Amino acid sequence: LILSNTQDSQTMGSSESKREEEDVVEIEEDEEGLTDTLRTHLTRLIAYAESADVTLQQEVAEKLANEAVKPERQRQIVEVGGLKLLLPLTESSDTEVQRLAAHALANLSVNAENQILMAAEGGIEMLVHLVKIEGENCEAVHRQASKALANLGVNSENKMRISQAGGIAPLIELAKSRNMTVSVEAIAALANLAVNDSNEREIAERGGLAPILDGANTDHLDLQSQAARALRNLSVNEDNKKIIITLGGVNILKKLCRNCPNDRVRTQAARALANLGTDEGEDTHNEGKYEEEKG
């Protein structure tokens, strides 16, 4: 990958005509190429990312997104300052650049050590910004940003940081999306955040139980899976139990237990019923909340 930026400049205090300079950064296609380039040319790459040239932004974002798929790259990219590069890309006016940036963040956030570093360097705020954006063609951005928040939400301290950054309300809105790939990732994020007792209350107080129950009541297996896991985590709080029962959650969960072909979904639904104190969950002895999942 070769990134180039053409600039015009004029020598101060002289009448010399403007001269054209081409600034070139070449990323070698080998194992160390990207990290070496980030170490050496980070400031220049950030300038590219901050430029109004969408083509340059897309080149930088796509390269980071592709490299971040590789487990051995995920820690390296963050360690050498890759997040400083992603920040201006998340604020791009181009939704494809934002999608690629969110995709890179989702891949980087799988690494447990990165979850800590990303939170410390502003990654949570970047992602909350992305789940809030409005306009056409934003669904892919929302899906990737929700997945990244779900991954970051595995870390216990990040659960509160995401809440404090205002992440719960937009995730609830995305849980209502008609695009099931978006709602699956948003509910997965809420399920991880709900392991924290304060978040469990906030999700319910902000109206998050209804769209999660709607997800559990679909025929979409991935949506059923994340919704059942979320309901298990959200059914520990006494006030939440009453809301779930009032919204018809017992019948929805019983339906999953009886009809869902997936053993894991049936187990999560049964444990949610056990938390609610229903007969269907009486044989389940491991009540309480469920461990988090990464995307």
Side-chain angles (χ1 to χ4, degrees):
L1 173 66
I2 299 178
L3 303 176
S4 63
N5 187 25
T6 301
Q7 297 177 326
D8 289 334
S9 63
Q10 185 171 11
T11 304
M12 291 180 63
S14 75
S15 59
E16 291 178 11
S17 61
K18 293 182 179 179
R19 57 191 175 85
E20 188 179 71
E21 296 181 341
E22 187 171 55
D23 212 9
V24 177
V25 175
E26 184 170 353
I27 300 177
E28 298 293 339
E29 297 297 336
D30 60 27
E31 289 193 0
E32 298 301 323
L34 178 66
T35 51
D36 287 347
T37 301
L38 285 174
R39 287 190 188 99
T40 307
H41 300 292
L42 182 61
T43 300
R44 198 182 306 177
L45 287 168
I46 290 172
Y48 292 163
E50 290 175 340
S51 76
D53 189 330
V54 171
T55 302
L56 280 176
Q57 289 182 333
Q58 286 186 355
E59 286 186 46
V60 174
E62 185 172 9
K63 185 65 177 178
L64 278 175
N66 290 339
E67 290 297 319
V69 173
K70 306 169 186 176
E72 68 275 12
R73 284 279 204 249
Q74 290 164 0
R75 184 69 192 275
Q76 293 174 348
I77 290 171
V78 173
E79 284 181 337
V80 298
L83 290 177
K84 295 176 183 176
L85 187 54
L86 284 167
L87 177 57
L89 296 174
T90 63
E91 297 173 344
S92 171
S93 60
D94 183 76
T95 53
E96 178 60 10
V97 172
Q98 290 179 318
R99 182 193 70 79
L100 289 166
H103 188 187
L105 288 165
N107 290 335
L108 293 173
S109 62
V110 172
N111 181 284
E113 293 178 346
N114 277 0
Q115 291 164 11
I116 299 169
L117 293 172
M118 289 173 71
E121 295 186 27
I124 288 173
E125 289 75 15
M126 292 184 211
L127 292 163
V128 170
H129 164 70
L130 290 176
V131 293
K132 288 180 177 180
I133 63 171
E134 299 178 354
E136 296 182 1
N137 304 317
C138 290
E139 289 179 332
V141 179
H142 290 155
R143 180 170 65 86
Q144 293 293 346
S146 297
K147 180 185 290 187
L149 285 173
N151 291 342
L152 290 178
V154 170
N155 179 278
S156 59
E157 292 185 4
N158 287 349
K159 296 182 199 305
M160 281 308 299
R161 287 175 173 169
I162 292 169
S163 172
Q164 290 164 355
I168 287 179
L171 285 170
I172 290 172
E173 287 305 307
L174 295 182
K176 303 173 186 176
S177 174
R178 293 183 179 180
N179 184 323
M180 289 190 180
T181 65
V182 174
S183 56
V184 164
E185 301 299 346
I187 291 174
L190 291 170
N192 286 353
L193 295 177
V195 174
N196 176 279
D197 292 344
S198 176
N199 289 345
E200 183 187 2
R201 292 190 297 272
E202 183 180 351
I203 291 167
E205 289 167 358
R206 291 185 176 276
L209 291 171
I212 293 171
L213 284 165
D214 288 342
N217 203 28
T218 68
D219 293 326
H220 191 285
L221 184 58
D222 288 342
L223 200 49
Q224 289 176 336
S225 177
Q226 296 302 337
R229 189 169 67 87
L231 289 167
R232 175 182 176 178
N233 291 345
L234 288 161
S235 57
V236 176
N237 179 275
E238 291 300 323
D239 291 334
N240 288 9
K241 292 179 184 182
K242 297 172 185 175
I243 298 171
I244 292 170
I245 292 169
T246 300
L247 292 173
V250 171
N251 287 336
I252 292 171
L253 289 164
K254 285 184 176 180
K255 179 181 173 184
L256 282 180
C257 287
R258 294 167 182 168
N259 300 334
C260 183
N262 185 278
D263 289 342
R264 191 177 185 188
V265 174
R266 292 199 304 272
T267 297
Q268 297 292 0
R271 289 175 175 167
L273 287 168
N275 289 342
L276 295 174
T278 67
D279 293 340
E280 195 90 11
E282 280 186 352
D283 293 332
T284 303
H285 301 294
N286 188 23
E287 298 90 345
K289 297 186 179 182
Y290 181 62
E291 68 272 12
E292 304 88 333
E293 290 184 351
K294 291 187 287 186

